[in-house]
Amino acid sequence: MNQSPERLPIRERSSRAATGRHRRPVPAQLPPGAPALVLAAPGSGDEVSAEVASVVSVENPHVDVRLSYLADGVEGMAKQLAELAAERPEGALAAVVVPLVTGPYSRVYRTVREAVAQSGIRATVTDPLGPHPMLAEALHVRLADRGLARVDRMRLFNIAAPVDGVIVATAGGEEAARAAETTAVLLAARLALPVVAASVDSAPSIRDAAERLHRIGASKLAIAPYVIGPEADLEKVAAEAKAIGAGLADALGAHSAVAQLAAYQFGHALEEIL
């Protein structure tokens, strides 16, 4: 099999995305005046968000993909949404906004919803991209890329782990950390290792998670940033990794799973609306 590990088929959760391994995330055809897919990025002009938007656009050329940087504030996004509405029939759904976050992030969602309200247009805001098995797979790949997990590239099963405990570090506060526990369980099943969730901006902290792993006998730790990138202080995560003597994987970044799940969220919203 020559298929890239980032493209391996995976069973989708029916409640969050289209079912079936081979089903398209977005319908092959959209009606005239269909809503735009607006990717709401926590950053400001970062390359990662731009790359995600580019991948979504290339893989779905019939979709009007826009990128909105939340660092521009409520007014900036509201203006962009109003411009989208002006390009569509009056009263039509103008946008499906997909926040580029892996879990609930109150600050991001507050900004997005305030912008939608201020714009006065019809728009819907989707759930976060995670939790999802594809993101657990992506974390596994990122760990393997740094030599922190060994994998059978045919199936992405763990063979022999260079570490004996993993911390899934997310951003967005305690709610996001709780939601990340699902992904931690999915990753633990892949690695056959203890995996715990932590927050980079609240409790439970990365050090809390490290102490928890130490108590169950894990001594060689790794941190897997469960973030796309712009929504977290990655320098702080690197400092925490150094402080606890843990290996550090790269953030998810523009991994193919991120772009695919953004498209799934858009397609799922269309199924319910159109």
Side-chain angles (χ1 to χ4, degrees):
M1 182 183 293
N2 296 322
Q3 196 171 14
S4 165
E6 293 186 3
R7 297 288 185 180
L8 289 175
I10 230 149
R11 182 168 56 89
E12 311 299 346
R13 298 198 316 160
S14 61
S15 63
R16 296 295 305 274
T19 57
R21 292 185 177 187
H22 306 293
R23 186 172 178 179
R24 290 180 58 87
V26 179
Q29 294 183 337
L30 295 176
L37 191 175
V38 178
L39 298 170
S44 176
D46 64 278
E47 294 181 2
V48 170
S49 300
E51 186 176 352
V52 172
S54 177
V55 173
V56 174
S57 183
V58 168
E59 295 185 350
N60 302 276
H62 57 305
V63 177
D64 182 6
V65 179
R66 308 291 181 98
L67 179 59
S68 183
Y69 290 108
L70 300 185
D72 294 337
V74 171
E75 293 76 13
M77 186 175 189
K79 180 181 178 181
Q80 185 176 9
L81 292 173
E83 291 171 352
L84 285 175
E87 299 170 4
R88 285 162 173 76
E90 184 176 357
L93 183 73
V96 173
V97 183
V98 181
L100 284 180
V101 290
T102 58
Y105 200 133
S106 59
R107 178 173 57 82
V108 167
Y109 273 89
R110 182 168 58 251
T111 300
V112 169
R113 292 186 174 118
E114 288 178 0
V116 170
Q118 184 171 311
S119 70
I121 73 165
R122 282 190 61 205
T124 186
V125 182
T126 72
D127 289 338
L129 302 185
H132 197 283
M134 290 176 66
L135 293 180
E137 177 182 335
L139 291 176
H140 193 172
V141 170
R142 291 292 186 247
L143 286 164
D145 287 344
R146 288 294 183 181
L148 299 170
R150 297 195 183 102
V151 294
D152 174 350
R153 286 292 181 179
M154 296 293 288
R155 301 179 182 83
L156 283 185
F157 289 160
N158 200 55
I159 297 174
V163 300
D164 55 13
V166 175
I167 299 169
V168 168
T170 193
E174 293 184 35
E175 183 182 8
R178 287 194 299 270
E181 291 174 359
T182 299
T183 299
V185 170
L186 293 170
L187 183 59
R190 300 180 67 87
L191 299 175
L193 293 172
V195 180
V196 298
S199 172
V200 302
D201 48 24
S202 71
S205 68
I206 288 174
R207 296 195 188 201
D208 292 336
E211 291 176 4
R212 180 179 170 189
L213 287 169
H214 288 323
R215 286 197 298 270
I216 61 175
S219 59
K220 297 179 293 181
L221 307 184
I223 298 175
Y226 183 47
V227 294
I228 296 166
E231 72 274 35
D233 184 347
L234 295 178
E235 291 185 359
K236 178 180 178 181
V237 177
E240 290 287 340
K242 183 177 181 179
I244 64 173
L248 178 63
D250 291 332
L252 291 169
H255 188 282
S256 59
V258 173
Q260 189 171 352
L261 287 172
Y264 269 127
Q265 290 288 26
F266 176 71
H268 185 57
L270 291 185
E271 285 183 351
E272 295 190 343
I273 296 166
L274 297 181

